[in-house]
Amino acid sequence: MSQALAEATQSDPAGADSAIPAGFVALREPPGFVGVNGPLYIRYQRGIEGQPETNLVQMGFRVEARHCNPMGNLHGGMMATFGDMLLAVSALRKNAVARRHFLPTISLQLDYLSPGRLGAWIQGEAQVLRATRSMVFMQGLVSADGEPAARLSGVLKLGPTFKSMGFDHRAAAPEAPAA
């Protein structure tokens, strides 16, 4: 462990302020890669009935020591993982067709704008730019403690339906809790 990361971890082992912002709930994560890199959190608010693009979808996580590079900042690979999940989960909740499909990533671009420090709250929001019969085009912005940290864009493929894979699509993109 680098000296910077060791000092940051010793000064605040729990990570600055380990509280999760109001309205965020833990995202049910699949086993495997994403599951061991979380927990990720989601805040979801249903928009105008019949217009899923108006739904509010925000995701976030608290930077822990295991998410950091030797300088004590959020590792770029973890930011990319978060961005990939942000685009896919947002598409599932903001597009009626995408909602029923597994969405493998075809392309993901990130511009790193500033570092996320150990303990920072990382939060992102994404928009569906266009959906075709086979692809979903997305963009998003991620912040670290309210400051822009990454700009991202991506293309997702409409893969097999969750039903054909034996999954309930509502488990992948459940309804918003009652207000």
Side-chain angles (χ1 to χ4, degrees):
M1 182 182 306
S2 76
Q3 174 127 4
L5 184 54
E7 288 172 5
T9 304
Q10 287 173 348
S11 66
D12 189 1
D17 174 11
S18 58
I20 305 305
F24 280 88
V25 296
L27 182 67
R28 187 172 42 203
E29 296 166 350
F33 182 78
V34 175
V36 299
N37 285 291
L40 300 180
Y41 296 87
I42 187 165
R43 179 163 47 195
Y44 174 57
Q45 225 173 9
R46 184 188 304 271
I48 300 168
E49 184 65 37
Q51 297 179 24
E53 68 277 5
T54 64
N55 293 344
L56 171 71
V57 179
Q58 297 173 324
M59 289 181 59
F61 72 100
R62 182 75 57 196
V63 178
E64 300 174 13
R66 65 194 177 95
H67 299 137
C68 291
N69 63 25
M71 295 299 296
N73 295 320
L74 178 63
H75 191 285
M78 181 61 194
M79 179 67 85
T81 296
F82 176 72
D84 188 47
M85 289 295 296
L86 173 65
L87 295 183
V89 170
S90 294
L92 287 170
R93 296 193 181 218
K94 290 183 167 227
N95 184 275
V97 175
R99 179 180 176 85
R100 296 184 298 271
H101 292 266
F102 176 69
L103 300 171
T105 303
I106 300 298
S107 171
L108 178 66
Q109 297 84 43
L110 277 84
D111 295 315
Y112 297 96
L113 306 174
S114 66
R117 307 268 187 234
L118 179 66
W121 175 252
I122 304 298
Q123 182 172 316
E125 195 167 338
Q127 298 80 37
V128 176
L129 297 175
R130 181 168 188 243
T132 69
R133 290 179 302 191
S134 61
M135 307 260 210
V136 182
F137 298 84
M138 304 286 299
Q139 72 177 5
L141 184 65
V142 177
S143 64
D145 286 337
E147 295 295 322
R151 176 178 61 182
L152 48 118
S153 64
V155 180
L156 309 171
K157 179 173 177 36
L158 288 177
T161 63
F162 286 116
K163 184 175 182 180
S164 73
M165 296 169 56
F167 295 112
D168 181 352
H169 79 278
R170 292 167 297 194
E175 298 300 316

